[in-house]
């Protein structure tokens, strides 16, 4: 089976930042965590692979199909959520959904109602009446309601209380069990220690490594970088920080 996502030699230059030659593959039915410090380039990668910003170079395929040639079809199979929902702040959720669902041929009202219930969301409210965490949950509900085969989520757990975070990770586990693939960025590396199958680590626009979690941890341990993702990141990034500080 082809990878759910294949990214080859992706580059994107902003005036003061360069995402440099990033390559990774997400195996179908697996969960990948995208990690890196603030400003490392995670959101730029996620937006580039969705063609929300235009990369300078790189080849992106989903399920073996080129994004450029099949964007409309591929986007029907992807659920994307970045941060909280900010559009139509004064419209009731049920109204927003009536508009949103027209964009998706696979929209499934039963699944939508299921996740409204799972996340205890009231569709009579407007986004401006939701807490930040509830907005994240609404965004995810929308992403999950068109039976996407692949979820691409930018910091989906930020703003969630610890219980909601664990509930969301349960949802991820359940979706993986149904063969879905998930790529998500997060700063909560302990969630990835438990849930991720693979890790893609970005440092200052460059790929440190993209590997399955077990190999990643083994390699880092053999380099005395630590035994979990947080230790590894802190050790790796602090070395760089010390070098800057002392030169
Ligand atoms: N539209 C833009 N124009 C210019 N520079 C940008 C733009 N978007 C992002 N950048 C720059 O690209 C770099 C990477 O930003 P990005 O949002 O991808 O980082 P990130 O890893 O997602 O960070 P965080 O963890 O803080 O969300 C930053 O230096 C940022 O200033």
């Amino acid at each position: 089976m082809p990878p759910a996502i294949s990214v080859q030699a992706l580059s994107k230059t902003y005036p003061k930042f360069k995402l440099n030659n990033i390559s990774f593959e997400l195996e179908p039915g697996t969960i990948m965590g995208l990690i890196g410090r603030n400003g490392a380039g995670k959101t730029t990668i996620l937006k580039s692979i969705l063609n929300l910003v235009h990369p300078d170079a790189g080849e992106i395929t989903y399920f073996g199909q080129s994004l450029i040639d099949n964007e409309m079809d591929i986007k029907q199979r992807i659920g994307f959520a970045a941060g909280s929902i900010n559009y139509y702040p004064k419209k009731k959720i049920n109204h927003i959904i009536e508009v949103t669902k027209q964009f998706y041929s696979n929209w499934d009202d039963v699944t939508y109602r299921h996740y409204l219930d799972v996340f205890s969301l009231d569709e009579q409210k407007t986004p401006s009446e939701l807490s930040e965490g509830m907005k994240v949950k609404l965004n995810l509900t929308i992403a999950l309601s068109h039976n996407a085969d692949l979820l691409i989520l930018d910091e989906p757990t930020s703003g969630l209380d610890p219980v909601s975070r664990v509930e969301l990770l349960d949802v991820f586990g359940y979706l993986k069990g149904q063969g879905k693939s998930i790529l998500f960025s997060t700063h909560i590396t302990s969630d990835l220690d438990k849930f991720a199958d693979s890790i893609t680590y970005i440092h200052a626009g460059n790929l440190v490594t993209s590997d399955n979690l077990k190999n990643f941890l083994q390699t880092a341990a053999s380099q005395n970088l630590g035994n979990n993702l947080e230790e590894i990141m802190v050790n790796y990034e602090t070395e760089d920080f010390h070098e800057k500080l002392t030169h």
Side-chain angles (χ1 to χ4, degrees):
M1 216 192 288
I5 310 175
S6 165
V7 177
Q8 300 302 326
L10 173 68
S11 295
K12 169 78 187 169
T13 305
Y14 285 127
K16 293 181 180 165
F17 176 79
K18 185 164 170 39
L19 189 68
N20 201 18
N21 200 25
I22 304 291
S23 301
F24 63 89
E25 287 188 349
L26 172 66
E27 291 307 315
T30 69
I31 298 177
M32 174 182 281
L34 181 60
I35 60 171
R37 294 194 71 173
N38 291 131
K42 302 178 298 297
T43 300
T44 307
I45 290 175
L46 297 182
K47 285 187 174 167
S48 298
I49 67 175
L50 286 158
N51 222 13
L52 299 175
V53 301
H54 295 289
D56 304 330
E59 197 189 333
I60 321 290
T61 63
Y62 288 92
F63 317 106
Q65 293 183 305
S66 150
L67 175 64
I68 300 303
D69 300 336
N70 305 278
E71 188 164 351
M72 296 293 273
D73 287 347
I74 286 170
K75 288 218 168 150
Q76 293 287 331
R77 297 180 68 185
I78 300 176
F80 172 65
S84 61
I85 208 160
N86 284 315
Y87 48 93
Y88 305 127
K90 301 286 179 203
K91 296 267 190 221
K92 283 189 179 170
I93 292 170
N94 58 3
H95 178 89
I96 295 173
I97 295 304
E98 283 310 310
V99 177
T100 306
K101 71 190 205 182
Q102 290 167 23
F103 292 102
Y104 293 106
S105 53
N106 287 338
W107 183 271
D108 181 349
D109 269 323
V110 174
T111 306
Y112 167 64
R113 306 237 151 255
H114 172 68
Y115 283 108
L116 275 186
D117 185 43
V118 167
F119 292 136
S120 305
L121 291 169
D122 176 359
E123 63 170 354
Q124 293 306 315
K125 287 189 174 173
T126 65
S128 62
E129 291 170 327
L130 301 180
S131 73
E132 280 309 302
M134 287 172 180
K135 288 181 195 173
V136 172
K137 289 175 182 174
L138 175 59
N139 225 357
L140 279 164
T141 298
I142 295 170
L144 293 168
S145 297
H146 60 96
N147 282 331
D149 295 315
L150 165 66
L151 293 177
I152 299 178
L153 308 169
D154 197 1
E155 294 187 38
T157 50
S158 73
L160 297 188
D161 66 68
V163 181
S164 299
R165 224 178 72 230
V166 170
E167 286 173 354
L168 181 67
L169 294 170
D170 272 353
V171 172
F172 286 0
Y174 169 76
L175 292 171
K176 179 180 144 178
Q178 296 195 320
K180 315 270 187 193
S181 316
I182 302 174
L183 168 63
F184 75 107
S185 68
T186 183
H187 292 292
I188 308 175
T189 49
S190 55
D191 290 344
L192 298 176
D193 284 313
K194 283 178 242 146
F195 271 86
D197 298 294
S198 60
I199 300 291
T200 294
Y201 183 4
I202 307 297
H203 173 83
N206 292 293
L207 181 72
V208 178
T209 185
S210 182
D211 207 343
N212 73 56
L213 179 65
K214 202 167 156 226
N215 286 347
F216 183 97
L217 293 174
Q218 272 174 0
T219 308
S222 70
Q223 295 171 355
N224 294 323
L225 280 169
N227 294 311
N228 60 53
L229 291 171
E230 182 170 324
E231 277 178 21
I232 294 163
M233 259 188 89
V234 169
N235 284 330
Y236 187 89
E237 304 285 345
T238 314
E239 265 176 34
D240 190 60
F241 178 76
H242 280 308
E243 212 165 287
K244 267 194 205 153
L245 190 69
T246 52
H247 280 84

